[in-house]
Amino acid sequence: MATRTRRSQRRTEALSRERIVEAAVELLDAAGEGGLTFRALTERLATGPGAIYWHVANKSELLDAATDAVVAAALAIEPAESPDAPRGKIRAVALGLFDAIDEHPWLATQLATQLSRSPWGSVTPRIFESIGRQVGAVGVPEGSQFTATSALVHYILGAAGQNAANGRVLGPDVDRGDFLDAVSKAWEELDPDDYPFTRSVADQMREHDDREQFLAGIDLVLAGITALHLPNGQASAPPAT
Amino acid sequence: MATRTRRSQRRTEALSRERIVEAAVELLDAAGEGGLTFRALTERLATGPGAIYWHVANKSELLDAATDAVVAAALAIEPAESPDAPRGKIRAVALGLFDAIDEHPWLATQLATQLSRSPWGSVTPRIFESIGRQVGAVGVPEGSQFTATSALVHYILGAAGQNAANGRVLGPDVDRGDFLDAVSKAWEELDPDDYPFTRSVADQMREHDDREQFLAGIDLVLAGITALHLPNGQASAPPAT
DNA sequence: ACCTGAACACCGTTCAAGT
DNA sequence: ACCTGAACACCGTTCAAGT
């Protein structure tokens, strides 16, 4: 039959900003940052570049819109029944972002650039708000809430960003175990004089689990907030996982 | 005199990988990510593209080399006389990276992409090692060192990344006070139903100092490490600044 | 109001040719 | 071994023209 990838299938719905953003996300997911081009976009949407530019100012705005859409979706996933009060909710929000970056690796870089470019954009307040509310609920006094929330958000973005493409480095065909093994081995072969520490934790790196590790970090920051910002060092031990 | 920017001043030293990387860093500093093109590079170095490709495989490798050079320089700045044992050294290393990103805003994005692309590259071990050694010195037991160090590194990269271009958003002519004012005002105008928390900390955001805030976060993570990973919750209060 | 598609300026990269 | 510079394929963006 030789049915090539459906060609010039006449567009049935009119073009719209949402449809364009949706297609952009699909392209980014499929081929990463480099996969989003106006050429690819016009083909997928069966139009010309002019049509897209009528709905969107430029590529940068399109990238921002795609980021915003994915983050909004990730934060919209409520844990339904609140699991165990504020600390649990903070973990849930953090994991939501972690998983979103895991599913959309391009998010990591995009988040970093966008956050540093315009902290008043819609993404920062969104994340900030979700975390901040729970920080207040934990009992952190008003004067420390900005500091505590910032620390959490920074940790989340830093950690999620790094973990992002870890598994995807060489495509989905690479086994996670093989990958960690390779990194671990590379670390073990570093110069003993220059890298004693990194060598010594090479095996811990081999055995670690990204999500577990990520959550452990969240608990670390939460413990710090408890120790430094709660009047009395009240119960802060994380629940057994 | 009309001495335009020195033209075709015949190259005196031979081209070298270091010279190319140096020029790349200059271009990145001057005009950001978009400022580094092979065209600009050939003009600055008074050569053709072929000459550059003889020393460097491609643009990606050049970007990696530039990142590595700047990070190495930042980590090489030793605090001379160790200020106050491990915790102080961790703060010093963190501030070194913070300042490097502040001076070279393009580092933030570059670091994020590079770390997620190849954690075995030279940059990760370098940072990891500097922090990790001190984590060991603080007294964290071996089994927890990987987790503790990861948390610190993630926080540092996340925070430094976000703070990166904050001041530079609209070039160096924008007053920092005006900038924070604008962001703060934008936050105050957010929807009261959707963003109660962000609105409530708008004034804290206006008055915060990037470096102070960054260090407060480091202390938060350190306090968490002390609380969670040191056998007894031994003295962890940060020194008065 | 919304879309078409040719055209423009610019980019990373290659390669036959020089020294 | 190291460098030159024309050429190629591709990209974001514009715009006169259509409906």
Side-chain angles (χ1 to χ4, degrees):
Chain A
M1 280 299 206
T3 34
R4 310 183 131 280
T5 52
R6 47 176 168 77
R7 289 209 125 275
S8 64
Q9 201 180 71
R10 217 69 204 98
R11 216 180 326 115
T12 143
E13 317 169 67
L15 215 47
S16 69
R17 194 183 152 92
E18 296 90 61
R19 183 67 198 96
I20 294 174
V21 171
E22 185 188 321
V25 170
E26 289 167 10
L27 285 174
L28 286 164
D29 287 348
E33 210 105 13
L36 178 60
T37 68
F38 277 81
R39 304 283 197 282
L41 214 45
T42 54
E43 194 181 345
R44 194 180 200 94
L45 295 170
T47 35
I52 294 173
Y53 275 94
W54 201 90
H55 293 277
V56 155
N58 50 42
K59 187 174 182 179
S60 166
E61 189 191 293
L62 181 54
L63 229 20
D64 283 0
T67 303
D68 195 48
V70 172
V71 169
L75 294 182
I77 302 170
E78 293 279 341
E81 357 106 42
S82 62
D84 71 294
R87 272 174 246 259
K89 256 203 156 175
I90 289 176
R91 288 188 196 93
V93 171
L95 268 184
L97 281 168
F98 183 87
D99 290 341
I101 296 184
D102 198 55
E103 273 181 68
H104 314 278
W106 50 274
L107 247 193
T109 309
Q110 199 45 37
L111 233 33
T113 30
Q114 190 170 336
L115 288 195
S116 65
R117 197 176 56 242
S118 58
W120 56 74
S122 60
V123 172
T124 320
R126 235 193 261 280
I127 298 176
F128 214 75
E129 180 71 27
S130 314
I131 300 286
R133 284 189 203 178
Q134 309 308 323
V135 166
V138 164
V140 174
E142 277 219 25
S144 307
Q145 288 180 4
F146 181 66
T147 298
T149 304
S150 292
L152 273 167
V153 172
H154 290 155
Y155 168 77
I156 291 169
L157 295 177
Q162 171 153 13
N163 280 327
N166 266 4
R168 248 147 242 87
V169 184
L170 300 176
D173 47 317
V174 181
D175 182 65
R176 187 189 136 82
D178 293 348
F179 172 74
L180 290 182
D181 246 47
V183 177
S184 175
K185 206 155 286 173
W187 283 15
E188 271 162 3
E189 274 154 19
L190 288 167
D191 186 296
D193 287 335
D194 291 344
Y195 295 96
F197 173 76
T198 305
R199 283 168 53 98
S200 78
V201 294
D203 57 323
Q204 293 184 48
M205 127 69 77
R206 180 191 275 110
E207 272 138 34
H208 93 283
D209 173 88
D210 284 342
R211 276 172 70 102
E212 228 172 67
Q213 181 83 7
F214 174 72
L215 274 186
I218 294 280
D219 288 335
L220 221 50
V221 181
L222 285 176
I225 291 174
T226 303
L228 252 44
H229 293 304
L230 292 193
N232 48 338
Q234 63 198 63
S236 77
T241 313
Chain B
M1 283 295 202
T3 35
R4 311 184 131 278
T5 51
R6 47 176 167 78
R7 289 207 125 278
S8 64
Q9 201 179 72
R10 216 71 203 97
R11 216 180 327 115
T12 145
E13 318 169 66
L15 214 47
S16 69
R17 194 183 152 92
E18 297 89 61
R19 182 69 198 95
I20 294 173
V21 170
E22 184 188 321
V25 170
E26 290 166 11
L27 284 174
L28 286 165
D29 287 349
E33 209 104 14
L36 178 60
T37 69
F38 277 82
R39 304 280 196 284
L41 214 45
T42 55
E43 195 181 344
R44 193 180 199 92
L45 294 170
T47 35
I52 295 173
Y53 275 94
W54 202 90
H55 293 277
V56 155
N58 50 41
K59 186 174 182 179
S60 165
E61 190 192 293
L62 180 55
L63 229 20
D64 283 0
T67 303
D68 195 48
V70 171
V71 169
L75 293 182
I77 302 169
E78 292 279 342
E81 355 107 42
S82 62
D84 70 295
R87 272 173 246 260
K89 255 203 156 174
I90 289 176
R91 288 189 196 92
V93 171
L95 268 184
L97 281 169
F98 183 87
D99 290 340
I101 296 184
D102 198 55
E103 273 180 69
H104 314 278
W106 50 272
L107 248 193
T109 310
Q110 199 45 36
L111 232 34
T113 30
Q114 190 170 338
L115 289 195
S116 65
R117 197 177 57 241
S118 58
W120 54 73
S122 59
V123 171
T124 319
R126 234 192 262 280
I127 298 176
F128 214 75
E129 182 70 28
S130 313
I131 299 286
R133 283 189 203 177
Q134 309 308 323
V135 166
V138 164
V140 174
E142 278 218 25
S144 307
Q145 288 179 5
F146 181 66
T147 299
T149 304
S150 292
L152 274 167
V153 172
H154 289 155
Y155 168 77
I156 291 169
L157 295 176
Q162 171 153 12
N163 280 327
N166 267 3
R168 248 145 243 89
V169 184
L170 300 176
D173 46 317
V174 181
D175 181 65
R176 188 190 137 82
D178 293 348
F179 173 74
L180 290 182
D181 246 47
V183 177
S184 176
K185 205 154 287 173
W187 283 15
E188 271 162 2
E189 274 154 19
L190 287 168
D191 186 295
D193 287 335
D194 291 345
Y195 294 97
F197 172 76
T198 305
R199 282 168 53 99
S200 79
V201 294
D203 56 324
Q204 293 184 49
M205 129 68 78
R206 181 190 274 109
E207 271 137 36
H208 93 285
D209 174 88
D210 284 343
R211 277 174 70 102
E212 229 172 68
Q213 182 83 7
F214 175 72
L215 274 186
I218 294 280
D219 288 334
L220 220 50
V221 181
L222 284 176
I225 291 175
T226 303
L228 251 44
H229 293 304
L230 292 193
N232 48 339
Q234 63 197 63
S236 77
T241 313

